[in-house]
Amino acid sequence: AQKITQTQPGMFVQEKEAVTLDCTYDTSDQSYGLFWYKQPSSGEMIFLIYQGSYDEQNATEGRYSLNFQKARKSANLVISASQLGDSAMYFCAMRVLNQAGTALIFGKGTTLSVSS
Amino acid sequence: SAVISQKPSRDICQRGTSLTIQCQVDSQVTMMFWYRQQPGQSLTLIATANQGSEATYESGFVIDKFPISRPNLTFSTLTVSNMSPEDSSIYLCSVEEGGEYGYTFGSGTRLTVV
């Protein structure tokens, strides 16, 4: 079965420190995509970063990087130099094939709290 | 990336009534997705809506409870019918941008059923 697992319900970090949010996935597909989204308390979903299963290099977007370890089926998000505005819920997601075509499935999320 | 306008942003409804949520996209898209996020939970896919065909529902969701319309390539509605307090959730629509651009989401509808 296709599944995303986020085992950290909450993480705490101080400003300017780096933090890693864990994500493991399960799929039998050879081609898949992994995504991270940020959801502030306002409820909107903000796309952060994408990693394709055939991408040989880890994805990076500004302060966000994705530590992709294909053999271990992990796709951890690293946020460098945390800021107070990074406090939010973070979701790992995977694009899967379903009866309608493709769709995203989500992990349970990790709440990140950044303190000064 | 696509811009999605979702309405209403929030509503408080009486049990037994229905609410229709609208999503308007500023570009033509093939598929639109509807998600539910129950309080403190993750996002669960309700259905996928293709223009000109009936929506495809995920296990646990039925058309009588969540009818969806997709009249054209830029618009879709989700109705939450015969509501109960258990339907209190955030409902989000989404479109696929393709490849590395991920999926764009509407701003969500925060529904409370009393």
Side-chain angles (χ1 to χ4, degrees):
Chain A
Q2 293 166 318
K3 189 178 180 181
I4 292 282
T5 302
Q6 294 180 256
T7 58
Q8 305 158 314
M11 290 287 285
F12 298 87
V13 67
Q14 289 213 312
E15 261 187 309
K16 301 179 185 177
E17 291 185 349
V19 62
T20 298
L21 306 184
D22 293 342
C23 172
T24 58
Y25 60 92
D26 189 14
T27 181
S28 56
D29 294 342
Q30 295 301 309
S31 177
Y32 50 88
L34 298 159
F35 302 81
W36 278 91
Y37 285 84
K38 173 184 178 181
Q39 187 179 44
S41 56
S42 58
E44 61 187 309
M45 293 289 286
I46 302 169
F47 167 64
L48 296 178
I49 198 166
Y50 166 82
Q51 181 84 41
S53 58
Y54 293 118
D55 295 340
E56 295 187 350
Q57 292 198 339
N58 288 341
T60 60
E61 288 289 346
R63 293 187 298 112
Y64 304 108
S65 61
L66 201 153
N67 184 1
F68 181 48
Q69 298 187 41
K70 194 170 182 177
R72 297 181 58 187
K73 293 190 174 179
S74 73
N76 298 338
L77 177 70
V78 180
I79 305 175
S80 63
S82 297
Q83 302 171 355
L84 293 177
D86 293 334
S87 294
M89 178 77 87
Y90 288 80
F91 290 100
C92 181
M94 179 168 63
R95 180 168 50 215
V96 300
L97 293 176
N98 65 4
Q99 54 185 331
T102 62
L104 281 183
I105 60 170
F106 288 84
K108 291 184 181 293
T110 296
T111 300
L112 177 64
S113 300
V114 182
S115 59
S116 56
Chain B
S1 62
V3 176
I4 304 176
S5 174
Q6 183 172 345
K7 296 178 182 179
S9 59
R10 60 177 64 230
D11 208 340
I12 301 173
C13 300
Q14 297 290 322
R15 68 176 66 202
T17 64
S18 298
L19 175 72
T20 295
I21 301 166
Q22 301 180 359
C23 274
Q24 178 76 53
V25 190
D26 69 345
S27 58
Q28 294 185 337
V29 293
T30 303
M31 293 198 291
M32 293 181 73
F33 306 89
W34 287 97
Y35 286 86
R36 180 177 74 181
Q37 186 178 22
Q38 294 177 301
Q41 303 296 314
S42 185
L43 281 74
T44 301
L45 182 64
I46 297 172
T48 303
N50 284 330
Q51 190 268 335
S53 63
E54 284 202 3
T56 303
Y57 289 82
E58 298 299 307
S59 175
F61 298 95
V62 294
I63 187 171
D64 289 347
K65 176 67 176 176
F66 298 101
I68 288 170
S69 79
R70 184 81 203 273
N72 58 52
L73 290 172
T74 64
F75 187 79
S76 179
T77 67
L78 169 76
T79 298
V80 186
S81 303
N82 189 24
M83 289 183 286
S84 66
E86 291 72 36
D87 294 319
S88 297
S89 297
I90 298 174
Y91 293 85
L92 299 111
C93 63
S94 175
V95 300
E96 183 177 9
E97 302 274 21
E100 64 190 86
Y101 300 105
Y103 293 69
T104 298
F105 286 80
S107 53
T109 297
R110 197 177 295 263
L111 171 63
T112 303
V113 184
V114 298

